[in-house]
Amino acid sequence: MWCVHHPKKPNYTLVLLDTEGLGDVEKGDNQNDSWIFALAILLSSTFVYNSMKAIDQQAMDQLHYVTELTDKIRAKSSPDAKEVQDSDDFVRFFPDFVWTLRDFSLELEVDGQPISADEYLENSLKLKKGTSSKDKNYNLPRLCIRNFFPKKKCFIFHPPTHWKKLCQLETMHDDELEPEFVEEAADFCSYIFRNSKVKTLSGGIQVNGPRLKSLVMTYVNAISSGDLPCMENAILALAQIENSAAVKKAMTHYDQQMAKKVQLPTETLQELLDLHMASEKEAIEVFMKNSFKDVDHLFQKELADQLEIRRDDFCKENMKASSDRCSALLKDIFHSLEEDIKQGVYSKPGGYNLLMQTMNELKKKYLQEPRKGIQSEEVLQTYLSSKESVINTILQTDQTLTEKEKEIEVQRVKAESAEAAAKMLEEMQKKMQQMMEEKEKSYQEHVKQLTQKMEQEMAQLMAEHERVLSLKLQEQAKLEKEGFQHESKQLQRAIETLKETMAKLKKPCTLI
């Protein structure tokens, strides 16, 4: 494996996977070659098959591995009965096919007319009419190449130098090689650089370094354990890793945003909830961008649960921050009052009215303080309740007040206390209502972004199906033109099945 910066596409890596040659007699095991061939197909976006001289029957026979692909690779973990006959799933994720012919010495022509290398390949892939086993064996590898690799390219390379110098090839410079070979090699490299696509899995999932590692491990482990490498299973295994990472990435983004935006305590609960909702929305976007194949939306549910826990934690922290600040404020503001009470300043005739006047002034000062948060009223009422017995003692011992006036004052204090309790209850119910509404908003945001993602994935899947359908129609037209009506009818059944699948995808669905 060689990994280099792509020479033509910034921010992309060009990965060259080079396999050992096929047909090594010392190995004595064709299965080894078959697995190498299958693994190279699974991992590459452009598959370069390198052979010597012309494309003749011997060259086709050596390419018998292509006829074994359906026995070596599964597209789905639970394939249906038609999968062996139908190459739809293979076409969706198989690479482009490039056949390079080394030491080519023939004239590129048909019936005396010059042709291109691509036309030479197409001509070599023409089928032979007939129903004998010999004809079927002749046609099978050609049909497989035509069906599995709709996009094909051919390059020819003349000998790079005189045969006596071939042993020195590794040390020779371009100017010591045949100019024709140098030009052909440059054309080949230029085509690969320009036309090789990013390796993309079924569903439009682009492969990067970590994903390539996961795919290699999954496929090799399957082969080593005697199982068939399965594209669907590989994607699901990859999804488990990446979706878990997507949840972490989303939560990290949420934490960063909240740390940046939130200053506790907030003046109101709604202020905190609004900041949470904005950060949650961005966190969901991060998750949607970095996740795929989230079966049953398990990872999105995990994200939603973690966001809910984080929101509740922030609410608790907000309450504590508010309580701490309010308690500190009360201690500071009412400190002098409490000292005066201890010194007996209000334990004299007229002391009760003086106490009430002072307390009202101090309450006003407290209420004017900014950013006390959502516990402001509750902490104040708790503080005042703790002073009720002291205040009542001062009231009862104030000789300037009549018994009637004292009774009226007691009732007034009770009424104020009841009103404050009712107000606190109302505020608590309001907070509960806000939390319920927030939960509904969160749910709707998850549904909204999930719907958008599903629509994008559906559009991607439809585009894949349309591409496959177009390729099949082109192949069917070729078969009919070549007079292979039986093969054309077989392909028609696959086309009809694909159209039915596409029609089902177009039906509206309901998210529950």
Side-chain angles (χ1 to χ4, degrees):
M1 177 190 285
W2 287 269
C3 301
V4 295
H5 294 296
H6 200 290
K8 300 295 182 183
K9 299 175 182 176
N11 302 320
Y12 284 89
T13 300
L14 184 64
V15 180
L16 175 63
L17 299 171
D18 185 23
T19 78
E20 65 184 45
L22 304 179
D24 187 346
V25 293
E26 292 185 8
K27 286 241 176 0
D29 181 11
N30 286 335
Q31 289 299 309
N32 184 73
D33 288 348
S34 296
W35 284 125
I36 288 175
F37 191 89
L39 196 56
I41 291 288
L42 286 167
L43 295 175
S44 60
S45 59
T46 299
F47 179 79
V48 181
Y49 181 71
N50 184 20
S51 68
M52 298 290 286
K53 303 189 184 296
I55 301 177
D56 52 19
Q57 191 53 39
Q58 184 181 357
M60 280 293 173
D61 291 341
Q62 289 174 342
L63 196 53
H64 66 89
Y65 309 105
V66 76
T67 68
E68 302 168 4
L69 285 173
T70 53
D71 299 322
K72 297 293 180 186
I73 299 172
R74 284 189 299 166
K76 298 176 181 176
S77 55
S78 301
D80 56 37
K82 292 183 290 186
E83 186 169 313
V84 174
Q85 286 78 30
D86 190 6
S87 57
D88 289 358
D89 290 309
F90 284 169
V91 170
R92 280 166 53 195
F93 66 79
F94 267 24
D96 295 340
F97 184 88
V98 177
W99 196 332
T100 59
L101 301 167
R102 290 161 43 210
D103 294 349
F104 191 82
S105 57
L106 298 179
E107 290 294 329
L108 282 178
E109 60 179 29
V110 172
D111 299 329
Q113 297 297 317
I115 57 172
S116 66
D118 291 339
E119 289 170 330
Y120 173 71
L121 174 60
E122 288 296 327
N123 193 61
S124 301
L125 293 176
K126 285 184 177 180
L127 305 181
K128 185 182 288 187
K129 291 183 179 180
T131 57
S132 68
S133 58
K134 186 178 179 181
D135 293 330
K136 288 179 180 178
N137 289 335
Y138 177 92
N139 288 337
L140 182 57
R142 290 168 171 82
L143 275 171
C144 287
I145 293 173
R146 289 170 65 152
N147 288 336
F148 293 157
F149 306 103
K151 187 173 180 182
K152 297 175 285 292
K153 185 74 177 171
C154 183
F155 287 93
I156 62 168
F157 294 90
H158 289 87
T161 186
H162 191 274
W163 67 268
K164 289 184 178 180
K165 293 183 180 180
L166 288 177
C167 60
Q168 307 168 27
L169 202 56
E170 290 291 332
T171 59
M172 294 175 70
H173 298 290
D174 283 1
D175 57 5
E176 298 175 274
L177 302 175
E178 290 293 331
E180 194 174 21
F181 174 83
V182 173
E183 184 180 342
E184 290 161 350
D187 288 344
F188 169 76
C189 290
S190 177
Y191 175 85
I192 296 298
F193 294 155
R194 285 196 326 272
N195 295 281
S196 285
K197 305 185 295 288
V198 174
K199 176 63 177 176
T200 304
L201 308 179
S202 181
I205 303 158
Q206 292 192 338
V207 174
N208 55 23
R211 289 176 180 176
L212 179 60
K213 174 190 172 183
S214 177
L215 289 175
V216 171
M217 296 297 290
T218 303
Y219 292 143
V220 171
N221 287 339
I223 294 169
S224 299
S225 65
D227 202 356
L228 297 182
C230 173
M231 190 67 190
E232 185 177 52
N233 288 346
I235 292 174
L236 290 176
L238 189 58
Q240 289 286 318
I241 297 169
E242 298 222 0
N243 291 344
S244 179
V247 172
K248 290 178 183 176
K249 189 176 285 188
M251 290 308 301
T252 298
H253 182 84
Y254 172 85
D255 290 339
Q256 289 171 344
Q257 291 303 305
M258 290 296 280
K260 196 185 300 180
K261 297 174 184 176
V262 177
Q263 184 181 349
L264 299 179
T266 58
E267 202 63 54
T268 64
L269 174 62
Q270 194 59 54
E271 181 186 339
L272 177 63
L273 294 179
D274 288 346
L275 291 171
H276 161 79
M277 191 68 245
S279 300
E280 179 177 31
K281 181 180 178 182
E282 289 186 22
I284 299 170
E285 288 172 355
V286 169
F287 173 78
M288 292 297 177
K289 182 180 178 182
N290 292 279
S291 65
F292 61 90
K293 296 287 182 185
D294 185 9
V295 179
D296 296 330
H297 317 302
L298 294 179
F299 287 95
Q300 188 178 359
K301 288 173 186 174
E302 181 186 337
L303 174 65
D305 291 343
Q306 289 194 29
L307 286 168
E308 187 174 349
I309 290 170
R310 219 48 130 243
R311 180 200 67 202
D312 292 346
D313 287 345
F314 266 108
C315 287
K316 289 174 186 175
E317 290 173 21
N318 195 37
M319 288 177 69
K320 185 178 185 306
S322 176
S323 295
D324 290 347
R325 171 158 169 75
C326 292
S327 296
L329 278 172
L330 287 171
K331 185 177 181 180
D332 182 58
I333 292 171
F334 281 80
H335 175 71
S336 59
L337 175 70
E338 293 194 14
E339 287 298 315
D340 287 345
I341 291 174
K342 288 178 184 177
Q343 297 297 324
V345 173
Y346 304 106
S347 300
K348 62 183 180 180
Y352 178 77
N353 284 333
L354 180 62
L355 175 63
M356 288 297 99
Q357 182 182 345
T358 304
M359 287 193 72
N360 286 334
E361 287 173 357
L362 294 178
K363 278 197 288 184
K364 185 178 180 181
K365 183 179 178 182
Y366 168 81
L367 293 172
Q368 286 175 342
E369 287 288 335
R371 300 204 69 80
K372 294 185 296 298
I374 60 176
Q375 293 296 98
S376 173
E377 191 66 31
E378 185 174 332
V379 172
L380 176 62
Q381 292 307 316
T382 301
Y383 175 80
L384 295 176
S385 296
S386 71
K387 302 301 175 188
E388 280 182 0
S389 61
V390 175
I391 294 170
N392 190 54
T393 300
I394 293 172
L395 171 64
Q396 297 303 329
T397 57
D398 194 332
Q399 297 175 358
T400 61
L401 298 173
T402 64
E403 291 300 318
K404 178 80 171 172
E405 287 173 329
K406 290 177 182 178
E407 181 61 28
I408 291 172
E409 190 61 21
V410 167
Q411 295 303 318
R412 184 188 67 77
V413 171
K414 283 184 179 179
E416 276 188 3
S417 181
E419 183 181 349
K423 187 177 178 182
M424 284 170 59
L425 180 62
E426 183 183 342
E427 188 64 28
M428 189 181 300
Q429 290 172 339
K430 180 183 175 183
K431 288 176 183 176
M432 288 176 63
Q433 181 64 29
Q434 285 176 313
M435 293 297 285
M436 288 174 62
E437 289 174 359
E438 186 66 21
K439 199 167 185 177
E440 177 62 20
K441 282 182 188 175
S442 173
Y443 171 76
Q444 292 300 335
E445 184 61 34
H446 275 274
V447 170
K448 175 186 171 185
Q449 293 202 35
L450 176 60
T451 302
Q452 290 173 347
K453 186 177 179 69
M454 289 177 69
E455 287 173 350
Q456 290 169 0
E457 289 176 346
M458 192 66 70
Q460 174 72 36
L461 189 57
M462 280 298 294
E464 285 182 11
H465 283 317
E466 285 169 0
R467 182 177 69 86
V468 173
L469 179 60
S470 174
L471 294 169
K472 285 191 176 294
L473 289 171
Q474 290 174 29
E475 180 60 23
Q476 186 184 41
K478 284 183 185 177
L479 289 170
E480 289 179 353
K481 185 178 179 181
E482 293 171 15
F484 291 92
Q485 299 303 319
H486 175 71
E487 286 76 4
S488 174
K489 286 179 181 178
Q490 282 187 319
L491 195 54
Q492 182 61 34
R493 286 195 290 270
I495 290 170
E496 292 302 323
T497 302
L498 185 56
K499 285 181 177 179
E500 289 172 12
T501 302
M502 293 172 69
K504 289 177 184 176
L505 288 174
K506 290 178 179 178
K507 290 182 179 179
C509 63
T510 304
L511 282 175
I512 299 175

